[in-house]
Amino acid sequence: MILLETDLKNAALRGVALGVARADDGKILYATPLLESMFGYTMRGALMNDKHVEDLVPMEARNRHIQHRANYAAQPSTRPMGIGLNAHGLRADGTLFPVFICLYSEVISNSVCIVFVVIDMSALIQSPIALDKMNIP
């Protein structure tokens, strides 16, 4: 059996204890089970694959996010997203939750994909002591 490069990378991502997804031009190509659970998609039986990144963004921020995504795609780099912003994710049930997101790009089969790592900040925000120890700028 021959494993494709993307199959190997997806298998590696499944073992990561973080919410991770890979997207191309805003379309989610792969999401870890933890990310799907974080955004409430496994509970509803709907997988994230083939959804768009903006489906995870609050409605009032979607147009702005599309422009930010285009700017990032033009000059991708490994970095946290939205430093200084109060970022939120949008769950499948419509509820919002605070998130911290890091971005990086990778080439798969001659196509540049954007990988994003999402951390649910709900528990940390409820605990100011834990937030101070993280030293997030």
Side-chain angles (χ1 to χ4, degrees):
M1 177 175 167
I2 299 173
L3 291 176
L4 299 173
E5 179 184 4
T6 54
D7 293 332
L8 291 172
K9 289 185 181 216
N10 288 348
L13 288 177
R14 272 194 298 277
V16 174
L18 294 169
V20 181
R22 180 180 294 117
D24 186 7
D25 197 28
K27 183 178 178 184
I28 298 173
L29 303 175
Y30 177 79
T32 62
L34 182 59
L35 188 77
E36 290 179 333
S37 176
M38 188 184 303
F39 281 88
Y41 282 89
T42 55
M43 293 182 283
R44 298 186 59 180
L47 296 177
M48 276 187 172
N49 296 354
D50 296 326
K51 292 200 174 295
H52 280 84
V53 173
E54 280 73 33
D55 293 333
L56 311 179
V57 175
M59 193 65 81
E60 62 274 6
R62 287 186 182 174
N63 288 336
R64 193 170 55 249
H65 187 268
I66 290 168
Q67 184 59 51
H68 288 306
R69 186 168 47 78
N71 292 343
Y72 180 83
Q75 293 185 316
S77 63
T78 299
R79 64 173 179 80
M81 184 183 90
I83 291 295
L85 297 179
N86 192 7
H88 286 83
L90 177 66
R91 289 194 173 105
D93 67 3
T95 59
L96 299 177
F97 66 105
V99 293
F100 179 75
I101 301 171
C102 290
L103 304 167
Y104 70 93
S105 63
E106 65 179 4
V107 177
I108 299 176
S109 303
N110 297 322
S111 179
V112 177
C113 291
I114 307 304
V115 176
F116 56 98
V117 179
V118 180
I119 299 171
D120 180 347
M121 299 294 288
S122 300
L124 288 171
I125 287 175
Q126 292 172 6
S127 171
I129 294 169
L131 197 56
D132 283 344
K133 288 183 179 181
M134 282 194 63
N135 277 333
I136 295 176

